[in-house]
Coordinates of all heavy atoms in Angstrom, one line a residue:
M14 N -2.7 1.5 -21.7 CA -1.5 1.1 -20.9 C -1.9 0.5 -19.6 O -2.8 1.1 -18.9 CB -0.5 2.2 -20.8 CG 0.6 1.8 -19.9 SD 2.0 2.9 -19.8 CE 1.5 4.5 -19.8
V15 N -1.4 -0.6 -19.2 CA -1.6 -1.2 -17.9 C -0.7 -0.5 -16.8 O 0.5 -0.4 -17.0 CB -1.3 -2.7 -17.9 CG1 -1.5 -3.3 -16.5 CG2 -2.2 -3.4 -18.9
P16 N -1.3 0.0 -15.7 CA -0.5 0.6 -14.7 C 0.4 -0.3 -14.0 O 0.1 -1.5 -13.9 CB -1.5 1.2 -13.7 CG -2.7 0.4 -13.9 CD -2.7 -0.1 -15.3
P17 N 1.6 0.1 -13.6 CA 2.6 -0.7 -12.9 C 2.0 -1.2 -11.6 O 1.4 -0.4 -10.9 CB 3.8 0.2 -12.7 CG 3.7 1.3 -13.7 CD 2.2 1.4 -13.9
I18 N 2.3 -2.4 -11.2 CA 1.8 -3.0 -10.0 C 3.0 -3.6 -9.3 O 3.8 -4.3 -9.9 CB 0.8 -4.1 -10.1 CG1 -0.5 -3.5 -10.8 CG2 0.4 -4.7 -8.8 CD1 -1.5 -4.6 -11.2
H19 N 3.2 -3.2 -8.0 CA 4.3 -3.7 -7.2 C 3.8 -4.5 -6.0 O 2.8 -4.1 -5.4 CB 5.1 -2.5 -6.7 CG 5.6 -1.7 -7.8 ND1 6.8 -2.0 -8.5 CD2 5.1 -0.6 -8.5 CE1 6.9 -1.1 -9.5 NE2 5.9 -0.3 -9.5
Y20 N 4.4 -5.6 -5.7 CA 3.9 -6.6 -4.7 C 4.9 -6.6 -3.5 O 6.1 -6.6 -3.7 CB 3.9 -8.0 -5.3 CG 2.9 -8.1 -6.5 CD1 3.3 -7.8 -7.8 CD2 1.5 -8.4 -6.2 CE1 2.4 -7.9 -8.8 CE2 0.6 -8.5 -7.3 CZ 1.1 -8.2 -8.6 OH 0.2 -8.3 -9.6
Y21 N 4.3 -6.8 -2.4 CA 5.0 -6.8 -1.1 C 4.4 -7.9 -0.2 O 3.2 -8.1 -0.2 CB 5.0 -5.5 -0.4 CG 5.6 -4.4 -1.2 CD1 4.8 -3.7 -2.1 CD2 7.0 -4.1 -1.2 CE1 5.3 -2.7 -2.9 CE2 7.5 -3.2 -2.0 CZ 6.7 -2.5 -2.9 OH 7.2 -1.5 -3.7
R22 N 5.2 -8.6 0.6 CA 4.8 -9.6 1.5 C 4.7 -9.0 2.9 O 5.6 -8.3 3.3 CB 5.7 -10.8 1.5 CG 5.5 -11.9 2.5 CD 4.3 -12.7 2.3 NE 4.2 -13.3 1.0 CZ 3.1 -13.9 0.6 NH1 2.0 -14.0 1.4 NH2 3.0 -14.5 -0.6
R23 N 3.5 -9.2 3.6 CA 3.3 -8.7 4.9 C 4.3 -9.4 5.9 O 4.6 -10.6 5.7 CB 1.9 -8.9 5.4 CG 1.0 -7.9 4.8 CD -0.3 -7.7 5.6 NE 0.1 -7.4 7.0 CZ -0.8 -7.6 8.0 NH1 -2.0 -8.1 7.8 NH2 -0.4 -7.3 9.2
S24 N 4.6 -8.8 7.0 CA 5.4 -9.4 8.0 C 4.4 -10.0 9.1 O 3.4 -9.4 9.3 CB 6.3 -8.3 8.7 OG 6.8 -8.8 9.9
D25 N 4.9 -11.0 9.7 CA 4.1 -11.6 10.8 C 4.4 -10.9 12.1 O 3.7 -11.1 13.1 CB 4.4 -13.1 11.0 CG 4.0 -13.9 9.8 OD1 3.0 -13.5 9.1 OD2 4.6 -15.0 9.6
E26 N 5.3 -10.0 12.1 CA 5.8 -9.4 13.4 C 5.4 -7.9 13.5 O 5.6 -7.3 14.6 CB 7.3 -9.5 13.4 CG 7.8 -10.9 13.5 CD 9.3 -11.1 13.4 OE1 10.0 -10.1 13.7 OE2 9.7 -12.2 13.2
T27 N 4.7 -7.3 12.5 CA 4.3 -5.9 12.6 C 2.9 -5.8 12.2 O 2.3 -6.6 11.6 CB 5.2 -5.0 11.7 OG1 5.2 -5.5 10.4 CG2 6.7 -5.0 12.2
S28 N 2.3 -4.6 12.5 CA 0.9 -4.3 12.3 C 0.7 -4.1 10.8 O 1.7 -3.7 10.0 CB 0.5 -3.1 13.1 OG 1.1 -1.9 12.5
L29 N -0.5 -4.1 10.4 CA -0.9 -3.9 9.0 C -0.5 -2.4 8.6 O 0.1 -2.2 7.5 CB -2.3 -4.1 8.7 CG -2.9 -3.8 7.3 CD1 -2.1 -4.6 6.3 CD2 -4.4 -4.0 7.3
G30 N -0.7 -1.5 9.4 CA -0.4 -0.1 9.1 C 1.1 0.1 8.9 O 1.5 0.8 8.0
V31 N 1.9 -0.5 9.7 CA 3.4 -0.5 9.6 C 3.8 -1.1 8.3 O 4.6 -0.6 7.5 CB 4.1 -1.1 10.8 CG1 5.6 -1.3 10.6 CG2 3.8 -0.2 12.0
D32 N 3.2 -2.3 8.0 CA 3.6 -3.0 6.8 C 3.2 -2.2 5.5 O 4.0 -2.1 4.6 CB 2.9 -4.3 6.7 CG 3.4 -5.4 7.6 OD1 4.6 -5.2 8.1 OD2 2.7 -6.3 7.9
I33 N 2.1 -1.5 5.5 CA 1.7 -0.7 4.4 C 2.7 0.5 4.2 O 3.1 0.8 3.1 CB 0.3 -0.2 4.5 CG1 -0.7 -1.4 4.3 CG2 -0.1 0.9 3.4 CD1 -2.1 -1.1 4.7
A34 N 3.0 1.2 5.3 CA 3.9 2.3 5.3 C 5.2 1.9 4.8 O 5.9 2.6 4.0 CB 4.0 3.0 6.7
R35 N 5.7 0.8 5.2 CA 7.0 0.3 4.8 C 7.0 -0.1 3.3 O 7.9 0.2 2.6 CB 7.4 -1.0 5.6 CG 7.9 -0.6 7.0 CD 8.3 -1.9 7.7 NE 8.8 -1.5 9.1 CZ 8.9 -2.4 10.0 NH1 8.7 -3.7 9.8 NH2 9.4 -2.0 11.2
A36 N 5.9 -0.7 2.8 CA 5.8 -1.0 1.4 C 5.8 0.2 0.5 O 6.5 0.3 -0.5 CB 4.5 -1.8 1.2
V37 N 5.0 1.3 0.9 CA 5.0 2.5 0.2 C 6.4 3.2 0.2 O 6.9 3.6 -0.8 CB 3.9 3.4 0.7 CG1 4.0 4.8 0.0 CG2 2.5 2.8 0.5
G38 N 7.0 3.2 1.4 CA 8.3 3.8 1.5 C 9.3 3.1 0.7 O 10.1 3.7 0.0
E39 N 9.3 1.7 0.7 CA 10.2 1.0 -0.2 C 9.9 1.2 -1.6 O 10.9 1.4 -2.4 CB 10.0 -0.5 0.1 CG 10.9 -1.4 -0.6 CD 10.7 -2.9 -0.3 OE1 10.5 -3.2 0.9 OE2 10.8 -3.7 -1.3
R40 N 8.7 1.2 -2.0 CA 8.3 1.4 -3.4 C 8.9 2.8 -4.0 O 9.4 2.8 -5.1 CB 6.8 1.4 -3.6 CG 6.3 1.9 -4.9 CD 6.7 0.9 -6.0 NE 6.4 1.5 -7.3 CZ 7.3 2.2 -8.1 NH1 8.5 2.3 -7.7 NH2 6.9 2.7 -9.2
F41 N 8.8 3.8 -3.1 CA 9.2 5.1 -3.6 C 10.5 5.6 -3.0 O 10.8 6.8 -3.2 CB 8.0 6.1 -3.3 CG 6.8 5.8 -4.2 CD1 5.7 5.2 -3.6 CD2 6.8 6.1 -5.5 CE1 4.6 4.9 -4.4 CE2 5.7 5.8 -6.3 CZ 4.6 5.2 -5.7
R42 N 11.2 4.7 -2.3 CA 12.5 5.0 -1.8 C 12.5 6.2 -0.9 O 13.3 7.1 -1.0 CB 13.5 5.1 -2.9 CG 13.6 3.8 -3.7 CD 14.7 4.0 -4.8 NE 14.7 2.9 -5.7 CZ 14.2 2.9 -6.9 NH1 13.9 4.1 -7.4 NH2 14.2 1.9 -7.7
V43 N 11.5 6.2 0.0 CA 11.5 7.3 1.0 C 11.3 6.7 2.4 O 10.9 5.5 2.6 CB 10.3 8.3 0.8 CG1 10.5 9.0 -0.6 CG2 9.0 7.6 0.8
D44 N 11.6 7.5 3.4 CA 11.4 7.0 4.8 C 9.9 7.0 5.0 O 9.3 8.0 4.8 CB 12.1 8.0 5.7 CG 12.0 7.7 7.2 OD1 11.3 6.7 7.5 OD2 12.6 8.4 8.0
P45 N 9.4 5.9 5.5 CA 7.9 5.8 5.7 C 7.5 6.9 6.7 O 6.3 7.4 6.6 CB 7.7 4.4 6.3 CG 8.8 3.6 5.8 CD 10.0 4.6 5.7
A46 N 8.3 7.3 7.6 CA 7.9 8.4 8.6 C 7.7 9.7 7.9 O 7.0 10.6 8.5 CB 9.0 8.5 9.7
S47 N 8.3 9.9 6.7 CA 8.1 11.2 6.0 C 6.8 11.3 5.2 O 6.4 12.3 4.7 CB 9.3 11.4 5.1 OG 9.2 10.5 4.0
L48 N 6.1 10.2 5.1 CA 4.8 10.1 4.4 C 3.6 10.7 5.2 O 3.7 10.6 6.5 CB 4.5 8.7 4.0 CG 5.5 8.0 3.0 CD1 5.2 6.5 2.9 CD2 5.4 8.7 1.7
P49 N 2.6 11.2 4.6 CA 1.4 11.6 5.4 C 0.8 10.5 6.1 O 0.9 9.3 5.7 CB 0.5 12.1 4.3 CG 1.3 12.4 3.1 CD 2.5 11.4 3.2
P50 N 0.2 10.7 7.3 CA -0.4 9.7 8.1 C -1.3 8.8 7.3 O -2.3 9.2 6.7 CB -1.1 10.4 9.2 CG -0.5 11.7 9.3 CD -0.1 12.0 7.9
L51 N -1.1 7.5 7.4 CA -1.9 6.5 6.7 C -3.3 6.5 7.3 O -4.3 6.3 6.6 CB -1.3 5.1 6.9 CG -2.0 3.9 6.2 CD1 -2.1 4.1 4.7 CD2 -1.4 2.6 6.6
A52 N -3.5 6.8 8.6 CA -4.8 6.9 9.2 C -5.7 7.9 8.6 O -6.9 7.8 8.8 CB -4.6 7.2 10.7
N53 N -5.2 8.9 7.9 CA -6.1 9.8 7.2 C -6.8 9.2 6.0 O -7.8 9.7 5.5 CB -5.3 11.0 6.6 CG -4.7 11.9 7.8 OD1 -5.1 11.7 8.9 ND2 -3.8 12.7 7.4
S54 N -6.3 8.0 5.5 CA -6.9 7.4 4.3 C -7.4 6.0 4.6 O -8.1 5.4 3.8 CB -5.8 7.2 3.3 OG -5.3 8.4 2.9
F55 N -7.1 5.4 5.8 CA -7.3 4.0 6.0 C -7.4 3.6 7.4 O -6.6 4.1 8.2 CB -6.1 3.3 5.3 CG -6.1 1.8 5.4 CD1 -7.0 1.1 4.7 CD2 -5.2 1.2 6.2 CE1 -7.0 -0.3 4.7 CE2 -5.1 -0.2 6.2 CZ -6.0 -1.0 5.5
D56 N -8.4 2.8 7.8 CA -8.5 2.3 9.1 C -7.9 0.9 9.2 O -8.5 -0.1 8.9 CB -10.0 2.3 9.5 CG -10.2 1.9 11.0 OD1 -9.3 1.2 11.6 OD2 -11.3 2.2 11.5
A57 N -6.6 0.8 9.6 CA -5.9 -0.4 9.6 C -6.5 -1.5 10.6 O -6.6 -2.7 10.3 CB -4.5 -0.2 10.0
E58 N -7.0 -1.0 11.7 CA -7.6 -2.0 12.7 C -8.9 -2.6 12.1 O -9.1 -3.8 12.2 CB -8.0 -1.3 14.0 CG -6.8 -1.1 14.9 CD -7.2 -0.5 16.2 OE1 -8.3 -1.0 16.8 OE2 -6.5 0.4 16.7
A59 N -9.7 -1.8 11.4 CA -10.9 -2.4 10.8 C -10.6 -3.3 9.7 O -11.2 -4.4 9.5 CB -11.8 -1.2 10.3
A60 N -9.6 -3.0 8.9 CA -9.1 -3.8 7.8 C -8.6 -5.2 8.4 O -8.9 -6.2 7.8 CB -8.0 -3.1 7.0
E61 N -7.8 -5.1 9.5 CA -7.3 -6.3 10.1 C -8.5 -7.3 10.5 O -8.4 -8.5 10.2 CB -6.5 -6.0 11.3 CG -5.1 -5.4 11.0 CD -4.0 -6.5 10.9 OE1 -4.3 -7.7 10.6 OE2 -2.9 -6.1 11.0
T62 N -9.5 -6.7 11.0 CA -10.7 -7.5 11.5 C -11.3 -8.1 10.3 O -11.7 -9.3 10.3 CB -11.7 -6.6 12.2 OG1 -11.0 -6.0 13.3 CG2 -12.9 -7.3 12.6
V63 N -11.5 -7.4 9.2 CA -12.1 -7.9 8.0 C -11.3 -9.0 7.4 O -11.7 -10.1 7.1 CB -12.4 -6.8 6.9 CG1 -12.8 -7.4 5.6 CG2 -13.5 -5.9 7.4
L64 N -10.0 -8.8 7.3 CA -9.1 -9.8 6.7 C -9.0 -11.1 7.5 O -8.8 -12.1 6.9 CB -7.7 -9.2 6.5 CG -7.6 -8.0 5.5 CD1 -6.2 -7.3 5.6 CD2 -7.8 -8.6 4.1
E65 N -9.1 -11.0 8.8 CA -9.0 -12.1 9.7 C -10.3 -12.9 9.7 O -10.4 -14.1 10.0 CB -8.7 -11.7 11.1 CG -7.2 -11.3 11.2 CD -6.9 -10.7 12.6 OE1 -7.8 -10.6 13.4 OE2 -5.7 -10.2 12.7
S66 N -11.5 -12.3 9.4 CA -12.8 -12.9 9.5 C -13.3 -13.6 8.3 O -14.2 -14.4 8.4 CB -13.8 -11.9 10.0 OG -14.0 -10.9 9.0
E67 N -12.8 -13.3 7.1 CA -13.3 -13.8 5.9 C -12.2 -14.5 5.0 O -11.1 -14.0 5.0 CB -13.9 -12.7 5.0 CG -15.0 -11.9 5.7 CD -16.3 -12.7 5.8 OE1 -16.5 -13.6 4.9 OE2 -17.0 -12.5 6.7
A68 N -12.6 -15.6 4.4 CA -11.7 -16.3 3.5 C -11.7 -15.5 2.1 O -12.7 -14.9 1.8 CB -12.1 -17.7 3.3
D69 N -10.6 -15.6 1.4 CA -10.5 -14.9 0.1 C -10.9 -13.5 0.1 O -11.8 -13.1 -0.7 CB -11.3 -15.7 -0.9 CG -10.7 -17.1 -1.1 OD1 -9.5 -17.3 -1.0 OD2 -11.5 -18.1 -1.3
T70 N -10.4 -12.7 1.1 CA -10.8 -11.3 1.2 C -9.7 -10.4 0.9 O -8.5 -10.7 1.1 CB -11.2 -11.1 2.7 OG1 -12.3 -12.0 3.0 CG2 -11.7 -9.7 2.9
A71 N -10.0 -9.2 0.3 CA -9.1 -8.2 0.1 C -9.7 -6.8 0.5 O -10.9 -6.7 0.4 CB -8.7 -8.1 -1.4
V72 N -8.8 -6.0 1.0 CA -9.2 -4.6 1.3 C -8.5 -3.7 0.3 O -7.3 -3.8 0.1 CB -8.8 -4.3 2.7 CG1 -9.1 -2.8 3.1 CG2 -9.5 -5.2 3.7
V73 N -9.3 -2.8 -0.3 CA -8.7 -1.9 -1.3 C -9.0 -0.4 -0.9 O -10.1 -0.1 -0.5 CB -9.3 -2.2 -2.7 CG1 -8.7 -1.2 -3.8 CG2 -9.2 -3.6 -3.1
F74 N -8.0 0.4 -1.0 CA -8.1 1.8 -0.7 C -7.1 2.6 -1.5 O -6.2 2.1 -2.1 CB -8.0 2.1 0.8 CG -6.6 1.9 1.3 CD1 -5.8 2.9 1.6 CD2 -6.2 0.6 1.6 CE1 -4.5 2.7 2.1 CE2 -4.9 0.3 2.1 CZ -4.1 1.4 2.3
T75 N -7.3 3.9 -1.5 CA -6.4 4.8 -2.2 C -5.5 5.6 -1.2 O -6.1 6.1 -0.2 CB -7.1 5.8 -3.1 OG1 -7.9 5.1 -4.1 CG2 -6.2 6.8 -3.9
Y76 N -4.3 5.6 -1.4 CA -3.3 6.4 -0.6 C -2.4 7.1 -1.5 O -1.7 6.5 -2.3 CB -2.6 5.4 0.4 CG -1.6 6.0 1.3 CD1 -2.0 7.0 2.2 CD2 -0.3 5.7 1.2 CE1 -1.0 7.6 3.1 CE2 0.7 6.2 2.1 CZ 0.3 7.2 3.0 OH 1.2 7.7 3.8
L77 N -2.3 8.4 -1.3 CA -1.4 9.2 -2.1 C -1.6 9.0 -3.6 O -0.6 9.0 -4.4 CB 0.0 9.0 -1.7 CG 0.3 9.3 -0.2 CD1 1.8 8.9 0.1 CD2 0.1 10.7 0.1
G78 N -2.8 8.8 -4.0 CA -3.1 8.6 -5.5 C -2.9 7.2 -6.0 O -3.0 7.0 -7.2
H79 N -2.4 6.3 -5.2 CA -2.1 4.9 -5.6 C -3.1 4.0 -5.0 O -3.5 4.1 -3.8 CB -0.7 4.6 -5.2 CG 0.3 5.4 -6.0 ND1 0.6 6.7 -5.7 CD2 1.1 5.0 -7.0 CE1 1.5 7.1 -6.6 NE2 1.8 6.1 -7.4
R80 N -3.5 3.0 -5.7 CA -4.5 2.0 -5.3 C -3.7 0.9 -4.5 O -2.8 0.3 -5.0 CB -5.2 1.3 -6.4 CG -6.2 0.3 -6.0 CD -6.8 -0.3 -7.2 NE -7.7 -1.4 -6.8 CZ -8.5 -2.0 -7.6 NH1 -8.6 -1.7 -8.9 NH2 -9.2 -3.0 -7.1
I81 N -4.0 0.8 -3.2 CA -3.4 -0.2 -2.3 C -4.4 -1.4 -2.1 O -5.5 -1.1 -1.7 CB -3.0 0.4 -1.0 CG1 -2.3 1.7 -1.2 CG2 -2.3 -0.6 -0.1 CD1 -0.9 1.6 -1.7
T82 N -3.9 -2.6 -2.3 CA -4.8 -3.8 -2.0 C -4.0 -4.6 -1.0 O -2.8 -4.9 -1.2 CB -5.0 -4.6 -3.3 OG1 -5.6 -3.7 -4.3 CG2 -5.9 -5.8 -3.1
V83 N -4.8 -5.1 0.0 CA -4.2 -6.0 1.0 C -5.1 -7.2 1.0 O -6.3 -7.1 1.1 CB -4.2 -5.3 2.4 CG1 -3.5 -6.3 3.4 CG2 -3.5 -4.0 2.4
T84 N -4.5 -8.4 0.9 CA -5.2 -9.6 0.9 C -5.1 -10.3 2.2 O -4.1 -10.1 2.9 CB -4.8 -10.6 -0.3 OG1 -3.5 -11.1 0.1 CG2 -4.8 -9.9 -1.6
N85 N -6.0 -11.3 2.5 CA -5.8 -12.1 3.7 C -4.7 -13.1 3.5 O -4.5 -13.9 4.5 CB -7.2 -12.7 4.1 CG -7.7 -13.7 3.1 OD1 -7.3 -13.7 2.0 ND2 -8.6 -14.5 3.6
E86 N -4.1 -13.1 2.4 CA -2.9 -14.0 2.2 C -1.6 -13.3 2.4 O -0.6 -13.7 1.9 CB -3.0 -14.6 0.8 CG -4.2 -15.5 0.6 CD -4.4 -16.1 -0.7 OE1 -3.7 -15.7 -1.7 OE2 -5.2 -17.0 -0.9
S87 N -1.7 -12.2 3.1 CA -0.5 -11.4 3.5 C 0.2 -10.7 2.3 O 1.5 -10.5 2.3 CB 0.5 -12.2 4.3 OG -0.1 -12.7 5.4
V88 N -0.5 -10.4 1.3 CA 0.1 -9.7 0.1 C -0.4 -8.2 0.1 O -1.6 -8.0 0.2 CB -0.2 -10.4 -1.2 CG1 0.3 -9.6 -2.4 CG2 0.4 -11.8 -1.2
I89 N 0.5 -7.3 -0.1 CA 0.2 -5.9 -0.3 C 0.6 -5.5 -1.8 O 1.7 -5.8 -2.2 CB 0.9 -5.0 0.6 CG1 0.5 -5.3 2.1 CG2 0.6 -3.5 0.3 CD1 1.4 -4.6 3.1
T90 N -0.3 -5.0 -2.5 CA 0.0 -4.5 -3.9 C -0.2 -3.0 -3.9 O -1.1 -2.4 -3.3 CB -0.8 -5.1 -5.0 OG1 -2.2 -4.8 -4.8 CG2 -0.6 -6.6 -5.0
I91 N 0.7 -2.3 -4.7 CA 0.6 -0.9 -4.9 C 0.5 -0.7 -6.4 O 1.4 -1.1 -7.2 CB 1.8 -0.2 -4.4 CG1 2.0 -0.4 -2.9 CG2 1.8 1.3 -4.7 CD1 3.3 0.1 -2.3
E92 N -0.6 -0.1 -6.8 CA -0.9 0.1 -8.2 C -0.9 1.5 -8.5 O -1.6 2.3 -7.9 CB -2.3 -0.5 -8.6 CG -2.6 -0.5 -10.0 CD -3.9 -1.2 -10.3 OE1 -4.5 -1.9 -9.4 OE2 -4.4 -1.1 -11.4
S93 N -0.1 1.9 -9.5 CA 0.0 3.3 -9.9 C -1.2 3.7 -10.7 O -1.9 2.9 -11.3 CB 1.3 3.5 -10.7 OG 2.4 3.2 -10.0
P94 N -1.5 5.0 -10.7 CA -2.7 5.5 -11.5 C -2.6 5.1 -13.0 O -1.5 5.0 -13.5 CB -2.6 7.0 -11.4 CG -1.7 7.3 -10.2 CD -0.8 6.1 -10.1
E95 N -3.7 4.9 -13.5 CA -3.9 4.5 -15.0 C -3.1 5.5 -15.8 O -3.3 6.7 -15.7 CB -5.3 4.5 -15.4 CG -5.6 3.9 -16.7 CD -5.4 2.4 -16.8 OE1 -5.8 1.7 -15.9 OE2 -4.9 1.9 -17.8
G96 N -2.2 5.0 -16.7 CA -1.5 5.9 -17.6 C -0.4 6.7 -17.0 O 0.3 7.5 -17.6
G97 N -0.2 6.6 -15.6 CA 0.8 7.3 -15.0 C 2.2 6.8 -15.3 O 2.3 5.6 -15.5
S98 N 3.2 7.6 -15.3 CA 4.5 7.1 -15.5 C 5.1 6.4 -14.3 O 6.0 5.6 -14.5 CB 5.5 8.3 -15.9 OG 5.7 9.1 -14.8
D99 N 4.6 6.7 -13.1 CA 5.0 6.1 -11.9 C 6.5 6.2 -11.6 O 7.1 5.4 -11.0 CB 4.7 4.6 -12.0 CG 4.8 3.9 -10.6 OD1 4.3 4.5 -9.7 OD2 5.3 2.8 -10.6
R100 N 7.1 7.3 -12.1 CA 8.6 7.5 -11.9 C 8.8 8.7 -11.1 O 8.5 9.8 -11.5 CB 9.3 7.6 -13.2 CG 9.5 6.3 -13.9 CD 10.5 6.4 -15.0 NE 9.9 5.7 -16.1 CZ 10.0 6.0 -17.4 NH1 10.7 7.1 -17.7 NH2 9.5 5.3 -18.3
G101 N 9.3 8.6 -9.9 CA 9.8 9.7 -9.1 C 8.8 10.6 -8.5 O 9.2 11.6 -7.9
R102 N 7.6 10.3 -8.5 CA 6.6 11.3 -7.9 C 5.4 10.5 -7.5 O 4.8 9.8 -8.2 CB 6.2 12.4 -8.9 CG 5.6 13.6 -8.3 CD 5.6 14.7 -9.4 NE 5.2 15.9 -8.9 CZ 5.8 16.7 -8.1 NH1 6.9 16.4 -7.6 NH2 5.3 17.9 -7.8
L103 N 5.0 10.8 -6.2 CA 3.7 10.3 -5.8 C 2.6 11.3 -6.3 O 2.9 12.5 -6.5 CB 3.6 10.3 -4.3 CG 4.5 9.3 -3.6 CD1 4.5 9.5 -2.1 CD2 4.0 7.9 -3.9
T104 N 1.4 10.9 -6.6 CA 0.5 11.7 -7.2 C -0.1 12.8 -6.3 O -0.8 13.7 -6.8 CB -0.7 10.9 -7.8 OG1 -1.3 10.2 -6.8 CG2 -0.2 10.0 -8.9
N105 N 0.3 12.9 -5.1 CA -0.1 14.0 -4.2 C 0.9 15.1 -4.3 O 0.7 16.1 -3.6 CB -0.3 13.5 -2.8 CG 1.0 13.3 -2.1 OD1 2.0 13.0 -2.7 ND2 1.0 13.4 -0.8
G106 N 1.9 15.0 -5.1 CA 2.9 16.1 -5.2 C 4.1 15.8 -4.4 O 5.1 16.5 -4.5
H107 N 4.1 14.7 -3.6 CA 5.3 14.4 -2.9 C 6.4 14.0 -3.9 O 6.2 13.1 -4.7 CB 5.0 13.2 -2.0 CG 4.9 13.5 -0.5 ND1 3.8 14.1 0.0 CD2 5.7 13.3 0.5 CE1 3.9 14.2 1.3 NE2 5.1 13.7 1.6
D108 N 7.5 14.6 -3.8 CA 8.7 14.1 -4.6 C 9.3 12.9 -3.9 O 9.4 12.9 -2.7 CB 9.7 15.2 -4.8 CG 9.3 16.3 -5.7 OD1 8.7 15.9 -6.8 OD2 9.6 17.5 -5.5
V109 N 9.6 11.9 -4.7 CA 10.3 10.7 -4.2 C 11.5 10.4 -5.0 O 11.7 10.8 -6.1 CB 9.3 9.5 -4.1 CG1 8.2 9.8 -3.1 CG2 8.7 9.2 -5.4

């Protein structure tokens, strides 16, 4: 089974970290402020530097058991774990 993938467009007005938190919050219908700190899993400043310096670049990391990909074309994808139902629960035990 192919895991569900959800796509989000980055904002030109907010930071990468804020955009990722908003995308995850939107995906799971939770307040982004209620999620564990993104900084524990991801260095948004370093990712911004990489994304700005290279053409056709993507940064991939895991947050709350989900694979997050950010491209230099302002797209964020959230991919659920392989075989996961992806309904109502983040894989770290957070109910959503």
Side-chain angles (χ1 to χ4, degrees):
M14 172 169 36
V15 175
I18 299 175
H19 302 275
Y20 298 89
Y21 301 88
R22 174 69 54 190
R23 283 204 55 201
S24 168
D25 292 332
E26 299 176 13
T27 54
S28 70
L29 177 58
V31 169
D32 287 340
I33 293 169
R35 286 181 179 167
V37 172
E39 182 180 321
R40 167 66 190 100
F41 294 101
R42 298 183 192 109
V43 297
D44 179 357
S47 72
L48 296 168
L51 181 61
N53 293 346
S54 304
F55 179 69
D56 185 339
E58 280 187 42
E61 287 270 21
T62 301
V63 169
L64 292 169
E65 290 172 0
S66 68
E67 300 289 330
D69 299 325
T70 301
V72 175
V73 180
F74 66 100
T75 300
Y76 178 61
L77 303 175
H79 292 72
R80 181 180 174 172
I81 311 289
T82 303
V83 183
T84 71
N85 65 339
E86 295 178 349
S87 298
V88 175
I89 298 170
T90 61
I91 301 173
E92 184 176 352
S93 299
E95 188 74 38
S98 71
D99 194 43
R100 283 191 225 149
R102 195 166 186 72
L103 293 170
T104 58
N105 74 336
H107 256 75
D108 286 320
V109 293

